[in-house]
Amino acid sequence: MAPQNAVQLSLKKPTYAVCVVGIKTYVDVRSDVPKGAKAFGVSGSSGVGIIMVYDPARVTEPAGKSHWPLDADVDVTITVDTASKDLNDLKVKVSYFRQDEDRALGHSVLYLTGVDVSLDVDTGRKGKVKRSRGDKKTWRWGPEGYGAILLVNCDRDSPKSKGLDLADSKLTTLDDLKDMSPMVLTCDGPDKVFDSHKLVLKVPLSDARRVGVFCARGGNSLSNYKQVLGPQHLFYEVERQPGEREISFYVEGLAFPDTNFSGLVSLSVSLVDKRTLLEVTIFTDTVAFRMAPWIMTPNTQPPLELFVCSVVDAHGSNEKFLRDLSDLVSKANCKLIICPWIENRNDRWIQDEMEFGYVDAPHKSFPVVFDSPRNRGLKDFPYKRILGPDFGYVTKEIPFAGASGLDSFGNLDVSPPVTVGGKEYPLGRILIGSSFPKSGGRRMAKVVRDFLKAQQVQAPVELYSDWLSVGHVDEFLSFVPTSDQKGFRLLLASPSVCLRLFQEKKEEGHGEAAQFDGLKNQAKRSINEMLADRRLRRDSLHVQKCIDWNREVLKRELGLTEQDIVDIPQLFYLQGPYAEAFFPDMVNMVVLGQHLGIPKPFGPLINGRCCLEEKVRSLLEPLGLHCTFIDDFLSYHKLLGEIHCGTNVRRQPFPFKWWHMVP
């Protein structure tokens, strides 16, 4: 470690210096030397380490009564082992000699006071602060990595707070401390040395709006916790009490990683000699933190809560749909939360409004809802009803222009963990729908895409979804968990599989079996009619090409093979340049563990059973999945959405710790 302080000696009077435990101090032995001196010797009291720095090729270490040559490049550095009990209780003596003489020509005396100053955080990522003399200013990824972690304090622990906890410069509840990362300042030494020296805690200007620090003085009173660093405070002169050896701090994150913010922030403490007009910094200790990213959870994670809206429209209420979902939730052993009409204002598309994720640090984890910029009837629901104690909130506003349909979060998904060409993505990869490359069509807003990319741990993949009328990826893909070694399957909507199925049924003599049989106010279409409908066939085969393009991207970017993909029969038709599902889109399902809530397709009945349902069961039930077909025709399908669009699931976080990966 390079010396951080230098001391110049004098023959005429003793020199006094403060040394920080474990830190090398350079001693200038050449500035004031007796006339005729050619050599020198150094001695020190117990507790002082003396280190001679020289080039062995040019200088021979003295033996016996010989001394170090003054004219060679021999430097002296010293260290102290522990904090002093009293002022100036350590001593270093430098004696000067003529060539080959034992009688000293003069002496310089240095009196030292050892102080122990160290700023420490949870660099080992164990959930506790441990004293470290290693590299604390560097942050490294991976299982062998190190460096402390901050949670963005984006929940609201106190009902008295009007906004997020990170907006409060005063502590409103002691529970809020649990969201913060501990930091300990060691400041041991004689009290008198701190009369002439001060400790200054600092945050760089660039980091001040992204991190807050509270000083803790113990006790259960909120007044014992004071914000000392943050957007309005760049430095803090530490108020050390007599005899105090350690001072506790709590550090909170104020911003997620984003376009111009890597997620790294630093804090430092400096020991400053204030006895001179130009105060001299003797020592600085710096620690680095990385902000915990926002992490999405895929369908393969176990469900905790399913959210759905209660609505009433021209077709009536969705009460029957809610009952069917309630039965499914009971089977999956998770919780059903119904957003009432008065809160959703008849906006049923709760998947589009928000996405559930979480943040994770060694000391704590909590869920965080990402509120989309779509801002329709449900716009206040995530902030007013989900934000709360240990439930965070984040959003990204679109500047200058309103949100497009592709900014809704039905257009946001995430894969299960995958390995691609030897590179592991243990938290999966985010999938967002976009325009065809270089086509200039609709695309998710840049502020949202940039935010997702900046989290680093779920490297996003852009897919082509602009061919759809609504334009969301959940209209043609879904992931389901399996109990085999792969652990999941990718489901893709497939017009070609559907046309092939209908052709098979026709050849078996069921050509008059009709699509939409049993639905009121909906024209039936026999298998023969559908196969003979050139427009329906042409439109569906156009859609198949769009899905096939995505298929190749998904195979390449997620490391999938054909065996990892299941094709779900589905037909589409074009309205102008955009496609819509011809019958309820079965891929747009809700996944609750092994239990799937699939839009009821109302396919042709053969021997009393829907051939589309039977086909899907034959594909998914051998994988250990249970298929429940739910009627969403009037309440969702006719409005260009399905079950996934009208539901939202909060899931268990990954057991894998994001800091163990290497982006």
Side-chain angles (χ1 to χ4, degrees), residues 307-313 318 322 337-351 353-354 374-382 384-385 636 646:
F307 291 75
V308 65
C309 293
S310 173
V311 293
V312 180
D313 56 24
N318 66 341
L322 297 180
I337 298 176
I338 298 176
C339 173
W341 179 89
I342 196 171
E343 292 182 12
N344 65 57
R345 294 179 287 183
N346 244 22
D347 179 6
R348 69 200 67 210
W349 309 117
I350 198 165
Q351 179 65 229
E353 182 58 39
M354 60 190 185
R374 72 189 278 268
N375 291 340
R376 288 169 59 181
L378 278 160
K379 67 176 184 176
D380 296 327
F381 181 72
K384 289 186 175 180
R385 293 300 180 187
Y636 296 90

Side-chain angles (χ1 to χ4, degrees), residues 130-387:
K130 187 176 180 180
R131 180 69 183 268
S132 172
R133 297 192 188 279
D135 182 4
K136 295 179 282 188
K137 64 174 67 174
T138 304
W139 201 97
R140 297 202 182 281
W141 295 87
E144 304 302 320
Y146 54 86
I149 293 164
L150 284 182
L151 293 175
V152 178
N153 196 9
C154 60
D155 66 342
R156 183 165 58 200
D157 285 314
S158 172
K160 296 179 182 179
S161 296
K162 295 182 180 180
L164 308 185
D165 285 344
L166 57 80
D168 293 328
S169 59
K170 293 184 179 180
L171 201 68
T172 56
T173 171
L174 294 179
D175 287 338
D176 199 24
L177 296 173
K178 298 174 184 177
D179 299 336
M180 304 184 195
S181 296
M183 180 172 72
V184 175
L185 171 62
T186 301
C187 49
D188 193 10
D191 290 336
K192 288 183 179 180
V193 81
F194 293 102
D195 293 338
S196 56
H197 294 72
K198 63 182 179 181
L199 292 163
V200 181
L201 201 63
K202 299 177 184 178
V203 58
L205 177 62
S206 59
D207 293 343
R209 68 182 186 275
R210 295 163 176 155
V211 65
V213 179
F214 286 81
C215 182
R217 288 301 182 181
N220 294 320
S221 172
L222 295 177
S223 61
N224 294 130
Y225 301 87
K226 172 186 174 185
Q227 190 181 70
V228 294
L229 292 181
Q232 307 302 321
H233 309 283
L234 297 181
F235 65 90
Y236 165 64
E237 187 172 329
V238 179
E239 299 169 358
R240 180 186 180 275
Q241 305 299 321
E244 197 166 31
R245 296 182 177 182
E246 289 185 347
I247 302 175
S248 294
F249 295 88
Y250 289 89
V251 188
E252 63 176 345
L254 305 182
F256 281 96
D258 216 326
T259 310
N260 297 315
F261 176 40
S262 69
L264 286 171
V265 294
S266 65
L267 300 171
S268 64
V269 68
S270 295
L271 178 65
V272 179
D273 187 341
K274 59 183 182 180
R275 291 174 295 185
T276 58
L277 184 62
L278 295 175
E279 296 180 339
V280 177
T281 298
I282 295 174
F283 167 74
T284 298
D285 203 14
T286 302
V287 295
F289 293 90
R290 180 175 287 279
M291 221 66 71
W294 180 78
I295 301 172
M296 282 183 68
T297 49
N299 285 353
T300 48
Q301 288 301 109
L304 298 173
E305 297 173 323
L306 183 142
F307 291 75
V308 65
C309 293
S310 173
V311 293
V312 180
D313 56 24
H315 302 288
S317 75
N318 66 341
E319 185 178 348
K320 173 64 165 59
F321 177 79
L322 297 180
R323 288 199 303 270
D324 290 342
L325 272 186
S326 180
D327 292 341
L328 183 69
V329 162
S330 297
K331 295 175 184 176
N333 196 29
C334 66
K335 184 179 180 181
L336 178 65
I337 298 176
I338 298 176
C339 173
W341 179 89
I342 196 171
E343 292 182 12
N344 65 57
R345 294 179 287 183
N346 244 22
D347 179 6
R348 69 200 67 210
W349 309 117
I350 198 165
Q351 179 65 229
D352 288 340
E353 182 58 39
M354 60 190 185
E355 187 67 54
F356 288 112
Y358 68 96
V359 291
D360 191 17
H363 65 285
K364 188 170 182 179
S365 173
F366 60 79
V368 176
V369 62
F370 186 5
D371 189 359
S372 84
R374 72 189 278 268
N375 291 340
R376 288 169 59 181
L378 278 160
K379 67 176 184 176
D380 296 327
F381 181 72
Y383 189 83
K384 289 186 175 180
R385 293 300 180 187
I386 295 181
L387 168 65

Side-chain angles (χ1 to χ4, degrees), residues 54-62 68-69 72-74:
Y54 62 96
D55 182 358
R58 299 178 58 192
V59 179
T60 302
E61 183 176 350
W68 294 95
D73 291 330
V74 179

Side-chain angles (χ1 to χ4, degrees), residues 351-352 374 404-412 433 442 464-477 588 640 645:
Q351 179 65 229
D352 288 340
R374 72 189 278 268
S404 78
L406 270 66
D407 296 315
S408 297
F409 284 172
N411 196 33
L412 176 62
R442 295 173 296 173
Y464 173 36
S465 67
D466 193 30
W467 52 272
L468 286 152
S469 180
V470 175
H472 296 174
V473 293
D474 67 354
E475 297 178 75
F476 66 88
L477 68 79
N588 195 284
L640 304 186
C645 306

Side-chain angles (χ1 to χ4, degrees), residues 1-7 18-27 47-51 76-83 112-119 131-134 136-137 269 271 281-286:
M1 185 182 294
Q4 296 196 23
N5 195 18
V7 176
V18 172
C19 285
V20 176
V21 171
I23 301 301
K24 296 176 181 178
T25 298
Y26 171 73
V27 179
V48 178
I50 298 174
I51 305 165
V76 179
T77 59
I78 58 174
T79 61
V80 296
D81 299 335
T82 58
L112 302 171
T113 303
V115 294
D116 193 2
V117 176
S118 182
L119 195 61
R131 180 69 183 268
S132 172
R133 297 192 188 279
K136 295 179 282 188
K137 64 174 67 174
V269 68
L271 178 65
T281 298
I282 295 174
F283 167 74
T284 298
D285 203 14
T286 302

Side-chain angles (χ1 to χ4, degrees), residues 415 418-420 425 429 431 459-463 551-560:
S415 79
V418 292
T419 300
V420 186
Y425 296 91
R429 299 191 70 177
L431 307 174
V461 177
E462 286 197 60
L463 299 174
R551 185 189 202 94
E552 295 308 309
V553 174
L554 289 160
K555 286 164 65 176
R556 181 177 68 247
E557 298 295 337
L558 301 183
L560 304 180

